[in-house]
Amino acid sequence: KAGVTQTPRYLIKTRGQQVTLSCSPISGHRSVSWYQQTPGQGLQFLFEYFSETQRNKGNFPGRFSGRQFSNSRSEMNVSTLELGDSALYLCASRAEGYNSPLHFGNGTRLTVT
Amino acid sequence: AQSVTQPDIHITVSEGASLELRCNYSYGATPYLFWYVQSPGQGLQLLLKYFSGDTLVQGIKGFEAEFKRSQSSFNLRKPSVHWSDAAEYFCAVAFFGNEKLTFGTGTRLTIIP
């Protein structure tokens, strides 16, 4: 079974621009979560989607948004980029059930200049 | 709110020595506990998980962890580390009724020959 695939792996953007990151979950997984990882803040939960609906949301400003398509693929969008948005963005999928572990992709490294 | 504490930011051990990484969680309900490992530039890989039953769980790569309810702890152990174990290790917790997985700040493991 293929793992979680994130594209692109690296991205360089300028302040004020917007960016869209993509995630393809493991086949059969309907839940997709997004995390931001930075050296200072660690792993912070952004949001989770299940069957095209946002099920959980972290404490991030409205500039961060996401969506999920009918094939469970997910996109994350960040508008009006700030320098502090530079981070590794990780996507993870899981099977149904509260105790199902997350399976992570290798992430997208976003650098904002 | 649920939280996870990994008190050791950085640990250095000699190759062949034993290892114990500490993890404590806070909340009142029965937790679902996980340990993940992250190599540089990569996503997170699941090492092991605890849901219920036997409090000593075995994982991949020779790791094990013990759940101690009285201490709210889920420490990760390995009897003999290998140079390839050098990485960052994350403890995470979720609870029934809350899909969001909360991560600790991580422990960076360095192996010296």
Side-chain angles (χ1 to χ4, degrees):
Chain A
K1 223 181 217 184
V4 177
T5 304
Q6 292 188 246
T7 56
R9 282 300 308 274
Y10 302 93
L11 212 44
I12 300 176
K13 291 286 187 180
T14 305
R15 267 182 305 175
Q17 288 186 313
Q18 75 163 19
V19 67
T20 299
L21 312 181
S22 181
C23 172
S24 293
I26 290 173
S27 178
H29 287 188
R30 293 194 288 162
S31 167
V32 173
S33 298
W34 289 89
Y35 285 80
Q36 182 197 64
Q37 186 178 28
T38 59
Q41 300 296 317
L43 278 155
Q44 291 192 285
F45 173 76
L46 280 155
F47 28 65
E48 182 199 6
Y49 286 86
F50 181 82
S51 293
E52 302 179 65
T53 301
Q54 189 179 84
R55 184 158 65 173
N56 259 308
K57 190 178 187 306
N59 296 322
F60 277 81
R63 301 185 296 107
F64 291 82
S65 63
R67 60 177 175 168
Q68 188 180 31
F69 302 95
S70 58
N71 61 359
S72 294
R73 191 176 69 83
S74 177
E75 287 183 348
M76 191 193 104
N77 185 275
V78 188
S79 62
T80 321
L81 284 165
E82 301 176 0
L83 294 179
D85 297 332
S86 295
L88 181 66
Y89 289 88
L90 292 165
C91 169
S93 71
R94 69 198 297 180
E96 288 181 62
Y98 293 103
N99 55 13
S100 297
L102 291 172
H103 298 270
F104 284 84
N106 286 330
T108 294
R109 172 72 64 184
L110 172 65
T111 302
V112 182
T113 62
Chain B
Q2 61 197 52
S3 67
V4 179
T5 302
Q6 292 181 250
D8 303 306
I9 296 173
H10 185 203
I11 284 183
T12 300
V13 300
S14 299
E15 190 168 14
S18 63
L19 171 71
E20 182 168 25
L21 302 183
R22 296 182 291 166
C23 172
N24 293 91
Y25 66 92
S26 68
Y27 199 68
T30 299
Y32 302 126
L33 295 155
F34 307 84
W35 274 99
Y36 284 86
V37 61
Q38 184 180 35
S39 298
Q42 302 295 312
L44 279 71
Q45 181 185 20
L46 179 68
L47 284 175
L48 47 77
K49 58 191 178 188
Y50 170 80
F51 303 139
S52 64
D54 193 350
T55 56
L56 184 64
V57 293
Q58 304 296 320
I60 62 171
K61 305 185 181 187
F63 286 93
E64 66 178 27
E66 186 171 12
F67 171 57
K68 293 185 178 179
R69 184 185 299 278
S70 62
Q71 298 175 22
S72 296
S73 69
F74 188 56
N75 294 350
L76 182 71
R77 300 194 294 248
K78 186 169 185 177
S80 176
V81 297
H82 186 262
W83 64 265
S84 60
D85 294 325
E88 187 139 24
Y89 292 79
F90 292 91
C91 181
V93 66
F95 296 92
F96 180 78
N98 188 346
E99 293 278 1
K100 188 180 78 170
L101 198 61
T102 299
F103 285 87
T105 51
T107 297
R108 185 160 62 93
L109 176 64
T110 298
I111 308 294
I112 55 177

